[in-house]
Amino acid sequence: AARKPITTADPQSFSRVDPARPAKELKKKFPLFSGATEATCLLAEGEMLFLPAGWFHEVCSLAGDKGHAAFNYWFQPPDAASFAKPYSRSMWEEDIAARPIGA
């Protein structure tokens, strides 16, 4: 089966579900989504949230008058001996290579 072209707007690791869409539309397009369990958290100043690799999530920042900073770090422990090529798998290289130039 032919794969849908990947763009920077739709990388393989991102969910195609937009939870802001109407429930009826979501049920039709993504029938299993209605069985998903939502988890919500509110972080205070100085706190951080750790999400395990591969967890789909949506973030809303409520900065107030102090502003805010968001920092994402996709941490995957190295599993190879070389500092120059720390991973035995080429997941990131394959993901980037699959994207059309200029997408």
Side-chain angles (χ1 to χ4, degrees), residues 53-75:
W55 278 36
F56 290 116
H57 60 282
E58 183 174 14
V59 177
C60 176
S61 297
L62 308 172
D65 61 352
K66 291 186 177 185
H68 78 283
F71 177 72
N72 293 308
Y73 181 72
W74 290 273
F75 180 77

Side-chain angles (χ1 to χ4, degrees), residues 3 7-8 16-19 32 34 36 40 46 48 50 55 64-66 69 78 82 86 96 98 102:
R3 277 182 29 177
T7 68
T8 54
R16 296 179 328 191
V17 177
D18 178 0
L32 298 177
S34 63
T40 304
M48 95 177 181
F50 169 79
W55 278 36
D65 61 352
K66 291 186 177 185
S82 167
I96 291 167

Side-chain angles (χ1 to χ4, degrees), residues 9-99:
D10 188 20
Q12 288 178 314
S13 58
F14 284 26
S15 174
R16 296 179 328 191
V17 177
D18 178 0
R21 304 300 307 157
K24 194 173 186 177
E25 182 181 321
L26 288 173
K27 186 154 182 79
K28 182 178 180 184
K29 192 168 182 179
F30 305 101
L32 298 177
F33 182 71
S34 63
T37 303
E38 178 182 319
T40 304
C41 74
L42 181 61
L43 301 176
E45 185 176 329
E47 294 180 327
M48 95 177 181
L49 174 65
F50 169 79
L51 294 171
W55 278 36
F56 290 116
H57 60 282
E58 183 174 14
V59 177
C60 176
S61 297
L62 308 172
D65 61 352
K66 291 186 177 185
H68 78 283
F71 177 72
N72 293 308
Y73 181 72
W74 290 273
F75 180 77
Q76 177 186 4
D79 62 356
S82 167
F83 181 76
K85 185 163 175 51
Y87 304 108
S88 61
R89 291 180 47 222
S90 58
M91 181 188 81
W92 292 114
E93 291 91 343
E94 290 170 15
D95 185 62
I96 291 167
R99 300 176 191 196

